[in-house]
Amino acid sequence: MGTLKTPSRFLCREPTEISVIRWCSAVGQVGFGYLYRNRKISKGSQSLVVKRRSYTEERNGEDSITSGRNSEDEEQRKGLLLGTERDNSGSVIGFQLIPHSDVMETQDNIANGKEELSEDIERGEEASTKVTYSVVFVTSEAAPYSKTGGLGDVCGSLPVALATRGHRVMVVSPRYLDGGPSDKKFANAVEVDQRSKIYCFGGVHEVTFFHEYRAGVDWVFVDHPSYHRPGTPYGDIFGAFGDNQFRFNLLCHAACEAPLVLPLGGFTYGEKCVFLANDWHAALVPVLLAAKYRPYGVYKDARSILVIHNLAHQGVEAAATYEFLGLPPEWYKALEWVFPTWARTHALDTGEAVNVLKGAIVTADRILTVSQGYSSEITTPEGGYGLHELLSSRKAVLNGITNGIDINEWNPSSDEHIASHYSVNDLSGKVQCKIALQKELGLPIRPECPLIGFIGRLDYQKGVDIILSAIPELMQEDVQFIMLGSGEKQYEDWMRNLESVYREKFRGWVGFNVPVSHRITAGCDILTMPSRFEPCGLNQLYAMRYGTIPVVHSTGGLRDTVKHFNPYAEEPSGEGTGWTFSPLSRENLIAALKLAIGTYIEHNSSWEGLVKRGMERESSWDRAAIQYEQVFEWAFTDPPYAG
């Protein structure tokens, strides 16, 4: 990529309102909703002008917005450095540490804001919505249109819950087309007669918008050739797409234009809206609002909320790429990232990079994570992936809200994927689901035998290595074990080998299959999740909904959602919905699973109590939606970020 230069015809020595219009028109009506429907904008007496100063000149100044340099103490941190390759979402992960399993336990203290959030919701959970908002979700995926994990589930369900409560809700996501059957998911989306031209990456890029109104939500899809290719939203069989920074940068610019230019239902969303930027793919949105729009009077009444689903992915790229993001040069410091010395690739490597997630943490009006536990963990050196100091400095606006689940899709009394329906009042169908699953996978049909399951990515984060190392000892017990997932080849091969060794007890399904995941959730007695870190986790929520008992590592959202079983509580059947263990180790996982196995075999009444308490647990999005409303209110109470 060459150096980004602004053509001389876009520059003027004495800016005027006419020069603004000429500039925007010349670069393809770039941004501001074509001057927010052709109206004039100005900042005091100064109109919008493109400045000549390069970002390198700005970096040498002392008036930085924030410093991205780590302290000397940070350089002393120890852990496993992954290298410079990209992960499946396209984020550079070379600077990241994989923490040891015994360091993810964090302080139990929670910021005052989090405590206030919980108390407010307890008092007002049943109250009706007093204020309605125009809410704009910006996300790389939204089910059922696109989904690779929990992010797609959240951005497919939470908008519907908020719309049900009376808010006007838009979801902005790419229109992914791969030429296959999945393209039919966008069949009901109609092209909007509105195009936007976005100036970034050294040129003008035109995007179109498609729209579908469904379940009370405006689903808006940004259409561009870069979204039309085989593979996942982030890569294909050869790895992450090399232009992911461009693709998601384009999404962010388009999402900022959408509320200004799209006449959905006859009128636009306008300027007074609240943006929910989800993960690094949408993290440029708060920066654009602060750097590109608000200085010139646009979106001065809007607010931005960064939602962190997984801090490990931050969208880190080479420092030189800042030239192409479409941001003013003087805002470089907001995104600046410097690798510690030990993480640099060679002696001449300066370690300089840009980190879009860091920019969002700096500029967002509020910050949310997908569980209270995770919001605390990311402020620690072990869980902060280099951003813990910055996140700690913004603790006053940092909260955690536990995800909900789609209780219509995940409902054992109506699930179309399972062999027999059942409910908390009639559990007879669950054993039929177990028998059908054993038959489908070729296991001996033994309804009395404890059946343990795992569903998830086969990688280090999910603790798959801990499970596989524990299998030989677990196979000495009278149990059966099923694993479903795909990921690192070594774990896939390991699963295949274990299946050949323990043919009567172990089955491994390499890949991911939605109907099979439902059948495993319904048919198993126990679901294990020994994740090293888990921002929220959904499988444990699905399991409890289906009367399957979770055995999980006590971290993040797992610790928040699974209540440890206490058989000696005053209640006759005890209390709790599963088992948690800490620290993470092979021995502790085996011990927790043996407790569950023993309870299943020897204490039927206690087991039935666990099953029913899990199935009765409130896991819908309704409660989460109420909590989001509280955060919206807080966001509009304070003035917006102004730089």
Side-chain angles (χ1 to χ4, degrees):
M1 298 182 183
T3 302
L4 175 60
K5 296 181 179 179
T6 304
S8 59
R9 67 179 183 275
F10 302 155
L11 299 170
C12 54
R13 295 181 180 177
E14 297 180 0
T16 64
E17 292 175 347
I18 294 177
S19 72
V20 179
I21 298 176
R22 286 178 178 170
W23 178 76
C24 289
S25 177
V27 297
Q29 302 169 13
V30 177
F32 295 74
Y34 188 32
L35 298 181
Y36 197 32
R37 295 294 188 176
N38 298 319
R39 75 182 185 183
K40 298 175 182 178
I41 59 175
S42 62
K43 181 182 181 182
S45 59
Q46 183 181 19
S47 299
L48 175 64
V49 180
V50 179
K51 298 182 180 180
R52 290 183 180 272
R53 296 178 65 190
S54 70
Y55 86 101
T56 53
E57 293 174 316
E58 292 293 338
R59 286 169 53 196
N60 293 329
E62 297 180 355
D63 55 344
S64 63
I65 298 172
T66 185
S67 173
R69 297 187 180 274
N70 297 317
S71 64
E72 292 299 323
D73 291 340
E74 182 66 19
E75 297 186 10
Q76 304 300 320
R77 289 172 54 198
K78 296 181 179 180
L80 174 62
L81 183 62
L82 295 181
T84 58
E85 72 277 10
R86 302 171 186 269
D87 59 31
N88 289 335
S89 72
S91 175
V92 173
I93 56 178
F95 72 99
Q96 296 175 4
L97 282 175
I98 290 294
H100 299 295
S101 62
D102 60 345
V103 297
M104 284 306 297
E105 295 311 305
T106 60
Q107 310 105 324
D108 290 330
N109 59 313
I110 299 174
N112 291 336
K114 302 181 185 66
E115 294 176 338
E116 292 170 4
L117 178 63
S118 299
E119 292 170 2
D120 288 345
I121 300 312
E122 290 295 338
R123 289 195 298 266
E125 183 174 356
E126 301 301 327
S128 60
T129 303
K130 296 180 180 179
V131 179
T132 57
Y133 298 91
S134 294
V135 184
V136 180
F137 283 77
V138 187
T139 177
S140 61
E141 53 185 90
Y145 306 99
S146 55
K147 173 186 170 181
T148 65
L151 173 62
D153 285 324
V154 172
C155 294
S157 299
L158 178 57
V160 176
L162 288 170
T164 301
R165 292 183 58 79
H167 304 285
R168 192 181 187 199
V169 184
M170 177 197 303
V171 178
V172 184
S173 186
R175 183 172 178 255
Y176 300 111
L177 300 179
D178 59 13
S182 63
D183 291 357
K184 294 180 180 179
K185 295 176 181 178
F186 298 96
N188 294 327
V190 179
E191 184 174 358
V192 181
D193 186 21
Q194 177 64 51
R195 295 171 179 263
S196 287
K197 294 182 179 180
I198 295 166
Y199 186 56
C200 64
F201 279 75
V204 177
H205 307 274
E206 185 176 75
V207 299
T208 56
F209 298 95
F210 283 72
H211 172 246
E212 178 183 357
Y213 183 76
R214 180 183 61 80
V217 175
D218 290 304
W219 304 90
V220 173
F221 305 103
V222 180
D223 194 59
H224 185 268
S226 66
Y227 304 131
H228 302 169
R229 60 183 63 160
T232 73
Y234 315 112
D236 55 21
I237 58 174
F238 302 105
F241 296 130
D243 60 347
N244 274 343
Q245 186 191 37
F246 165 75
R247 297 166 73 233
F248 297 118
N249 180 71
L250 201 66
L251 170 66
C252 293
H253 280 273
C256 290
E257 292 294 296
L260 304 178
V261 303
L262 299 183
L264 306 178
F267 59 99
T268 66
Y269 274 57
E271 294 183 68
K272 190 173 182 179
C273 52
V274 53
F275 287 87
L276 269 67
N278 292 271
D279 271 351
W280 79 263
H281 321 92
L284 202 66
V285 168
V287 185
L288 288 170
L289 295 181
K292 178 182 176 182
Y293 290 90
R294 286 186 188 134
Y296 304 98
V298 182
Y299 283 132
K300 63 182 183 299
D301 294 323
R303 297 293 187 273
S304 63
I305 298 173
L306 171 66
V307 185
I308 300 174
H309 299 257
N310 193 334
L311 189 64
H313 309 312
Q314 300 178 7
V316 180
E317 297 286 350
T321 62
Y322 182 84
E323 295 271 5
F324 306 104
L325 299 182
L327 293 169
E330 62 269 22
W331 279 78
Y332 172 80
K333 284 289 184 179
L335 277 69
E336 181 187 36
W337 176 264
V338 181
F339 288 88
T341 302
W342 57 264
R344 300 176 191 177
T345 56
H346 53 78
L348 299 180
D349 183 1
T350 62
E352 297 180 22
V354 291
N355 183 328
V356 294
L357 189 67
K358 178 211 167 186
I361 293 171
V362 170
T363 56
D365 298 302
R366 304 285 308 190
I367 303 170
L368 284 174
T369 65
V370 289
S371 71
Q372 280 197 359
Y374 193 57
S375 68
S376 181
E377 287 181 3
I378 63 175
T379 63
T380 68
E382 296 80 17
Y385 287 89
L387 293 174
H388 61 284
E389 292 181 352
L390 178 59
L391 286 161
S392 295
S393 73
R394 301 222 65 198
K395 215 166 187 178
V397 297
L398 172 62
N399 295 99
I401 298 177
T402 302
N403 285 339
I405 61 174
D406 187 333
I407 59 175
N408 294 315
E409 178 185 359
W410 291 91
N411 186 348
S413 64
S414 59
D415 192 333
E416 61 182 12
H417 301 304
I418 63 178
S420 180
H421 294 155
Y422 59 96
S423 68
V424 68
N425 297 318
D426 181 7
L427 293 168
S428 59
K430 184 167 176 61
V431 69
Q432 298 304 316
C433 290
K434 181 177 183 177
I435 292 171
L437 181 62
Q438 290 171 327
K439 183 177 181 180
E440 178 182 1
L441 298 180
L443 287 168
I445 299 175
R446 298 182 58 210
E448 78 286 353
C449 178
L451 182 56
I452 306 170
F454 169 86
I455 301 171
R457 293 194 315 275
L458 304 181
D459 62 21
Y460 188 80
Q461 178 204 332
K462 298 298 182 181
V464 177
D465 57 316
I466 303 293
I467 294 176
L468 297 178
S469 67
I471 288 294
E473 184 169 341
L474 287 173
M475 292 295 96
Q476 303 302 314
E477 303 290 325
D478 185 19
V479 298
Q480 295 175 343
F481 205 111
I482 299 171
M483 294 183 68
L484 169 69
S486 63
E488 297 182 26
K489 187 177 184 300
Q490 60 173 326
Y491 297 138
E492 294 180 353
D493 292 342
W494 205 347
M495 279 170 48
R496 294 186 180 100
N497 179 64
L498 288 171
E499 183 172 301
S500 65
V501 174
Y502 304 105
R503 300 185 63 85
E504 300 298 306
K505 291 189 172 186
F506 184 91
R507 288 292 182 273
W509 184 300
V510 176
F512 189 77
N513 183 294
V514 171
V516 173
S517 71
H518 280 244
R519 291 197 284 274
I520 291 176
T521 302
C524 283
D525 303 298
I526 301 165
L527 184 85
T528 186
M529 295 179 66
S531 303
R532 284 181 164 80
F533 69 93
E534 194 66 66
C536 178
L538 294 176
N539 286 331
Q540 83 278 13
L541 300 178
Y542 300 149
M544 288 185 283
R545 174 86 166 149
Y546 280 63
T548 300
I549 308 306
V551 176
V552 303
H553 176 215
S554 182
T555 184
L558 300 179
R559 180 175 56 195
D560 288 353
T561 55
V562 179
K563 188 174 181 182
H564 187 76
F565 175 57
N566 176 13
Y568 303 107
E570 293 182 1
E571 299 176 19
S573 60
E575 61 181 12
T577 56
W579 281 271
T580 63
F581 62 91
S582 179
L584 178 62
S585 68
R586 169 184 174 276
E587 292 73 22
N588 286 342
L589 171 62
I590 292 173
L593 286 173
K594 285 185 175 181
L595 273 175
I597 294 166
T599 304
Y600 176 84
I601 295 174
E602 300 175 9
H603 303 283
N604 292 337
S605 62
S606 294
W607 189 265
E608 185 176 345
L610 280 161
V611 168
K612 290 187 174 181
R613 286 191 295 275
M615 296 183 73
E616 291 170 347
R617 183 186 184 278
E618 171 57 46
S619 296
S620 74
W621 274 108
D622 295 339
R623 180 181 175 86
I626 297 170
Q627 292 176 305
Y628 271 85
E629 289 172 347
Q630 176 66 82
V631 176
F632 296 165
E633 180 182 337
W634 289 343
F636 280 95
T637 299
D638 298 324
Y641 182 89

